[in-house]
Structures are given as C-alpha cells and as structure tokens.
C-alpha cells in the first residue's frame, strides 16, 4: 500500500468518526466535516510526506468521499420530502388546504440546496436542478 493510499484510509476513518455522531445533517455539520477534513488533509500530508501532486489527488479523493456520504443522506431526505409532497397532493385533491406544509417542504429543500453550495462538486448541480424542478412542479402555493 502506498503512502497516498494509507493517507486516504486515515482521512476516511476520521471522516467516519465525525459522521458516526448520528447528528442530523445540517449546514453546521456539513461545514464542520469539510473544515475538519481540510485541516486533517494537511496533517496527513505532512505525516506521510506526500508530494504536492499526491496531496492534490488525496484532496480530490477525500472531497468525493465526503460528498458521497452527504449525498446518500441528501437522497434519503429528498425521498422523504417527495413522499410527503405526494401525500399533500392527494390531500389537496380532497379539498384540504396545505400551503403551510408545502412552505415547510420548500424550506427543507432550500436548506439542502444550501448544504450543496458548501461543497464544490459537479454532482451538486444535478441535485440542485432536481430541487428547483420539484419545487416548481410540486410545491407551489395553492
């Protein structure tokens, strides 16, 4: 195993320690994960004496790893939101007015969009486009 691979394993272990706190995904948690991971990469780079090229590859790998963890949680939340939106849509077909519930779901989606903006990864665009479309199609006020 190369020093770069060992370094990546160390950083991944530290990221999982942060994630295992079972905290609710929030702006604060995402920011803390990214900040601590960035700091950790510097320490790990020095520990394993990585070149600047190895350090750059390590940073890219870690960013993708952190994003994959966050992405999984985001998709769980998006699934919950879409299920809730479907329930609201059915209730509205029976004459119920649920503008407050729609507004709450819109806020939840916009919060997820804020999390994504903390991360500079191309995959974020795909999810942001989905969020905008979903709000436009499903969560318009009555």
């Amino acid at each position: 195993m190369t020093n770069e691979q060992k370094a990546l394993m160390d950083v991944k272990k530290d990221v999982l320690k942060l994630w295992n706190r079972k905290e609710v995904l929030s702006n604060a948690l995402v920011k803390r994960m990214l900040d601590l991971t960035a700091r950790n990469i510097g320490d790990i780079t020095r520990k394993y004496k990585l070149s600047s090229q190895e350090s750059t590859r390590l940073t890219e790998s870690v960013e993708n790893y952190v994003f994959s963890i966050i992405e999984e949680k985001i998709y769980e939340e998006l699934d919950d939101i879409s299920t809730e939106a479907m329930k609201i849509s059915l209730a509205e077909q029976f004459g119920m007015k649920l503008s407050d519930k729609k507004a709450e779901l819109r806020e939840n989606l916009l919060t997820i969009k804020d999390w994504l903006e903390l991360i500079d990864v191309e995959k974020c665009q795909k999810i942001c486009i989905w969020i905008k479309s979903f709000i436009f199609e499903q969560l318009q006020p009555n």
Side-chain angles (χ1 to χ4, degrees), residues 23-79:
E23 287 183 60
V24 173
L25 189 61
S26 66
N27 285 358
L29 177 60
V30 171
K31 185 161 178 23
R32 191 170 69 245
M33 283 179 70
L34 294 173
D35 290 348
L36 290 174
T37 300
R39 210 170 321 134
N40 197 355
I41 288 172
D43 295 342
I44 296 291
T45 296
R46 284 187 292 284
K47 176 181 174 184
Y48 288 102
K49 297 179 176 92
L50 300 179
S51 68
S52 62
Q53 189 177 28
E54 289 171 323
S55 180
T56 300
R57 283 195 305 265
L58 175 66
T59 302
E60 290 171 2
S61 295
V62 170
E63 283 177 355
N64 286 328
Y65 180 68
V66 170
F67 181 75
S68 70
I69 292 171
I70 294 170
E71 182 182 35
E72 185 178 318
K73 181 65 176 169
I74 287 172
Y75 277 119
E76 287 173 16
E77 297 212 12
L78 291 177
D79 187 50

Side-chain angles (χ1 to χ4, degrees), residues 88 92 96-99 102 106 140-142:
I88 289 170
E92 286 181 337
M96 296 177 76
K97 297 288 185 202
L98 298 170
S99 295
K102 281 184 171 182
R106 272 194 307 276
Q140 293 301 312
N142 293 352

Side-chain angles (χ1 to χ4, degrees), residues 9-23:
M9 295 291 281
D10 280 2
V11 176
K12 283 183 174 184
K13 277 192 285 186
D14 288 342
V15 168
L16 284 178
K17 285 179 195 170
L18 280 173
W19 194 248
N20 285 336
R21 293 179 186 202
K22 303 291 184 204
E23 287 183 60

Side-chain angles (χ1 to χ4, degrees), residues 76-96:
E76 287 173 16
E77 297 212 12
L78 291 177
D79 187 50
D80 292 346
I81 288 170
S82 62
T83 300
E84 193 63 28
M86 185 180 70
K87 290 176 188 175
I88 289 170
S89 178
L90 288 172
E92 286 181 337
Q93 289 176 12
F94 291 101
M96 296 177 76

